[in-house]
Amino acid sequence: MDGRVLAVVGAKGGVGKTTTSLNLAAALAEDGRAVAVVEADLAMANAVDFLDIRVNGGRTLHDVLAGGAGVGDATYPAPGGFDVVPSGVDLDGFIESDLERFPSAMDALKARYDAVLVDTAAGVSRETVVPMRGADASVLVSTPRVASIRDADKTMTVAERADAPVGGVVLTKSGTGRSPPADRIADFLDTELLGHVPHDESIPRAQDAGQPAVSYRPHSDAADAYREVAAALRKRPDMLGMTVTANTGGFRFGDGDDAFADGGGGDGSRGGTDDGFTSPFG
């Protein structure tokens, strides 16, 4: 097996990257694919808060990146028919984690799974850039709010500088407020609209129940929307379509590190204003 890796990205916190990762995993697993989610937010782990899984002092991604465990030792079955590699929650584990080990962990997972979704941290740091550069493509997640779109635009700029392809955007909590149409936002970000997920109370209720909404409320609007996104990913050869061989080229720290010196968005490459942002709100 030579699976594909998708990084779920977005510089803004609270836009639903973890929710999207878990629900896409559940939707992709419905057709029998072997799917894993890797929680790459090493400092602010919350997958264990969203899923009814019991780590209880067991191995996590912290242990894998510290060299104390293989990634298989830190993999757990999750409600929804997929597996999850949770990050640890203690500060010492975060300090001891070495991101140089991340690519080899992904290689091991690609040998076991059809699809690996990497739930990345907020912000722009190596913790975000490393998964982006090692993935076959990234899925950008944003809400249709101005601050979120501004940060999504910065994420797109970082991806361009890192030569890390972004396959499209998923808009969450759509249909609220006076936001532009979803396709207009995607056009502004210069990427494909993979789908938009409406505001739906089934999401927090599913989280309280420790399951993805796709399995907890399978007929909800949010579950249907995530299935549509999963269907779009299956059709794309550059994403999860099986007609293109997964990237095995790897990368090193230091390759183009100077590209991230100013945090993205400051050179006007996606520009309009001084900070490289022109609002789609008009």
Side-chain angles (χ1 to χ4, degrees):
M1 183 180 294
D2 191 12
R4 300 182 68 81
V5 178
L6 297 183
V8 180
V9 302
K12 184 80 168 64
V15 297
K17 289 186 292 293
T18 299
T19 296
T20 295
S21 299
L22 301 180
N23 278 280
L24 281 181
L28 289 167
E30 287 183 335
D31 68 358
R33 295 190 189 212
V35 182
V37 174
V38 178
E39 184 179 25
D41 190 342
L42 302 179
M44 301 293 289
N46 59 10
V48 293
D49 300 322
F50 290 2
L51 293 174
D52 186 15
I53 59 174
R54 295 290 180 266
V55 177
N56 289 336
R59 302 296 191 180
T60 69
L61 186 62
H62 281 177
D63 299 293
V64 176
L65 297 182
V71 71
D73 300 323
T75 302
Y76 303 87
F82 58 95
D83 291 343
V84 62
V85 181
S87 184
V89 295
D90 64 283
L91 182 59
D92 288 341
F94 168 69
I95 293 172
E96 293 170 4
S97 296
D98 181 359
L99 279 170
E100 293 282 0
R101 294 188 172 97
F102 191 84
S104 61
M106 293 303 98
D107 287 342
L109 290 173
K110 287 168 65 173
R112 297 173 53 191
Y113 293 92
D114 297 306
V116 179
L117 304 180
V118 183
D119 177 25
T120 66
V124 177
S125 66
R126 283 190 172 183
E127 206 174 322
T128 305
V129 173
V130 167
M132 290 176 66
R133 298 186 71 186
D136 294 287
S138 292
V139 174
L140 181 65
V141 179
S142 176
T143 67
R145 306 271 75 83
V146 171
S148 181
I149 296 169
R150 178 187 293 273
D151 284 354
D153 187 62
K154 291 178 181 178
T155 305
M156 290 291 295
T157 298
V158 170
E160 289 174 358
R161 294 181 179 186
D163 195 22
V166 174
V169 61
V170 175
L171 293 174
T172 60
K173 305 176 186 178
S174 67
T176 59
R178 297 168 59 184
S179 59
D183 55 354
R184 180 178 170 189
I185 295 173
D187 287 345
F188 165 75
L189 293 170
D190 194 22
T191 192
E192 181 174 328
L193 177 65
L194 295 171
H196 51 98
V197 182
H199 177 75
D200 188 339
E201 286 302 316
S202 67
I203 294 290
R205 290 174 182 170
Q207 291 171 354
D208 289 343
Q211 296 187 43
V214 167
S215 58
Y216 182 70
R217 288 286 186 267
H219 302 296
S220 63
D221 291 342
D224 288 342
Y226 277 119
R227 287 193 185 94
E228 290 178 4
V229 175
L233 296 179
R234 292 185 188 103
K235 294 176 182 177
R236 290 274 299 276
D238 59 328
M239 303 289 276
L240 292 181
M242 296 302 176
T243 59
V244 174
T245 302
N247 173 29
T248 57
F251 60 94
R252 298 181 296 106
F253 286 132
D255 289 348
D257 280 352
D258 57 335
F260 311 108
D262 68 359
D267 66 349
S269 60
R270 300 182 54 78
T273 61
D274 289 342
D275 67 352
F277 181 76
T278 303
S279 173
F281 287 74

